[in-house]
Amino acid sequence: MKKIYKQAMLGLAGFAAFCSVITSCTTTKLESETMVVDGTEIMNSYNNTKELKEKFPVIYPTTIDTKMGKAIENRLLTGFENWNRGFDAWKAWGTILYTDESIYNVHGARLTLAEYQAAMNVTLKKTNILMGDFQNIIICDDWAAIRYATENIVNGVNTPGGVMEFVKFKDYGKELGCRVEEGWGGARGSGFAAMSHFQTPEARENQKKIDEEMIAYVIPETDNLEEKYPVKYPTTDKSKNAKKIRAALLQDFDSWNQGFDVWTENTKDFYTEDAKINYEYKYEVSPAGYVEAQKKAEEKTQLRKLYYDSMLINGEWAAIHFRVVYTDTESGVQTPGDIMQFYHFVEDGDAVRVDMSWSGGR
């Protein structure tokens, strides 16, 4: 199917950006249950999910079978529709999707919605950001993890990319409905400094304390990998192979901290021989190519994996967000960070292995 791109903003405080993922019916404007906010017409209905799913299909769908999950799905799809109505509609939609206490972490910087809107206002004056395919919506309990493609255009030069986001929702009841409590848009990287500029002095000081705590973090000494690498925001696994998938993820995590040779050996069990690994804008790299690339990277910057923020498992898919510390091998300077990854697992006898993966981080 031919891809059609629409202008969008990166991250979009969780979900307004999603709505620019267009694969069909790009000129269709759904009118069911619209409302006016700040003089702008937007959609706000929980009754049109089926209609919206036909307009905004997901490449790799997973099962959504709870009341909360279906409400989250609807909020995502409604966000797509409102984004297509223009920037003012996206901004107005923010009053529905968020509360005054909602927080969005953009490239590692903790921002309020107003701060994020200000940051994107500056960003879009320099960069035209186009959204491509919407690949995943993985929902577990009150959490959603999503992944979508982008093209960033600066001075006429197009650069392909991808964005991953993890978002915690909360049901605020009949009057307010399902809204974002906190979200993480993109891992900490080159955009961190720019986004930090929009934080208050108090927020920057708090960020500094969090960074210091991460650098000083001590991994528990235990053979129980679930205790050694805890999940800060645990969710219910929704897969017949959930235990196997979780065990494989934890083993891969731990093998990295045991040293490069141990991790290299573990990749033979973690990935299928023909696995396609996508990371840092490198596409469909083989396991052998990935190992070689990580070996070169470790010569300059060593990476220690700490713990998980999120681990969502649904069907054959897993999405993880975890904390790390980078150490410059030359200067010894340590920098905290986070990494987001999406995995597709296949059964292999009594085990499960990864045949496709995507990673977003530093």
Side-chain angles (χ1 to χ4, degrees), residues 41-78:
E41 183 182 79
I42 65 171
M43 177 173 289
N44 181 32
S45 170
Y46 285 97
N47 300 321
N48 55 2
T49 299
K50 182 178 179 181
E51 187 179 9
L52 287 168
K53 286 175 70 174
E54 292 175 353
K55 184 175 182 180
F56 306 109
V58 180
I59 293 177
Y60 300 112
T62 50
T63 301
I64 302 172
D65 56 7
T66 66
K67 182 179 179 180
M68 183 65 173
K70 291 178 180 178
I72 292 172
E73 178 189 37
N74 175 273
R75 299 294 82 180
L76 302 181
L77 294 168
T78 302

Side-chain angles (χ1 to χ4, degrees), residues 313-326:
I313 301 175
N314 191 330
E316 301 170 343
W317 286 90
I320 60 176
H321 178 207
F322 57 94
R323 301 292 168 164
V324 301
V325 170
Y326 300 97

Side-chain angles (χ1 to χ4, degrees), residues 68-265:
M68 183 65 173
K70 291 178 180 178
I72 292 172
E73 178 189 37
N74 175 273
R75 299 294 82 180
L76 302 181
L77 294 168
T78 302
F80 293 1
E81 172 65 20
N82 284 328
W83 174 256
N84 286 336
R85 294 173 181 236
F87 183 85
D88 289 342
W90 162 71
K91 190 174 182 180
W93 170 242
T95 66
I96 304 298
L97 188 62
Y98 297 88
T99 70
D100 292 339
E101 289 74 37
S102 297
I103 292 295
Y104 214 80
N105 303 272
V106 187
H107 298 306
R110 185 178 173 85
L111 303 175
T112 64
L113 178 59
E115 291 168 342
Y116 182 60
Q117 288 172 332
M120 292 314 304
N121 184 42
V122 172
T123 299
L124 289 175
K125 291 179 180 178
K126 301 177 181 179
T127 307
N128 186 19
I129 302 172
L130 308 178
M131 308 301 292
D133 290 332
F134 190 6
Q135 294 112 345
N136 294 104
I137 294 179
I138 300 175
I139 296 176
C140 293
D141 300 334
D142 52 3
W143 277 85
I146 62 95
R147 181 174 64 89
Y148 54 92
T150 64
E151 284 191 19
N152 301 333
I153 304 175
V154 180
N155 297 325
V157 179
N158 291 30
T159 303
V163 178
M164 301 177 185
E165 304 192 26
F166 286 73
V167 185
K168 186 180 188 303
F169 283 83
K170 182 178 179 179
D171 184 356
Y172 286 87
K174 185 175 181 180
E175 183 176 348
L176 295 178
C178 179
R179 297 189 173 199
V180 171
E181 191 170 16
E182 186 167 4
W184 290 259
R188 180 167 174 169
S190 59
F192 173 73
M195 290 298 166
S196 297
H197 172 75
F198 294 90
Q199 292 178 311
T200 63
E202 293 79 8
R204 284 195 290 272
E205 185 63 28
N206 184 57
Q207 188 101 50
K208 182 180 178 181
K209 292 179 181 179
I210 294 173
D211 289 352
E212 291 172 348
E213 290 174 357
M214 287 181 59
I215 291 174
Y217 182 82
V218 177
I219 298 172
E221 294 185 10
T222 174
D223 293 331
N224 185 323
L225 296 186
E226 294 202 17
E227 295 179 359
K228 190 174 185 178
Y229 304 110
V231 180
K232 187 175 182 180
Y233 303 104
T235 53
T236 304
D237 298 335
K238 297 181 178 180
S239 167
K240 69 173 184 178
N241 288 321
K243 290 183 179 180
K244 295 179 181 179
I245 291 175
R246 178 180 288 271
L249 290 170
L250 288 167
Q251 186 59 51
D252 178 67
F253 204 85
D254 187 57
S255 68
W256 178 272
N257 285 340
Q258 292 184 47
F260 193 80
D261 290 341
V262 175
W263 175 75
T264 299
E265 189 64 25

Side-chain angles (χ1 to χ4, degrees), residues 314-347:
N314 191 330
E316 301 170 343
W317 286 90
I320 60 176
H321 178 207
F322 57 94
R323 301 292 168 164
V324 301
V325 170
Y326 300 97
T327 302
D328 187 286
T329 56
E330 187 172 321
S331 66
V333 173
Q334 294 185 310
T335 305
D338 62 324
I339 295 175
M340 300 177 175
Q341 295 176 325
F342 282 66
Y343 292 102
H344 181 258
F345 285 85
V346 294
E347 293 187 63

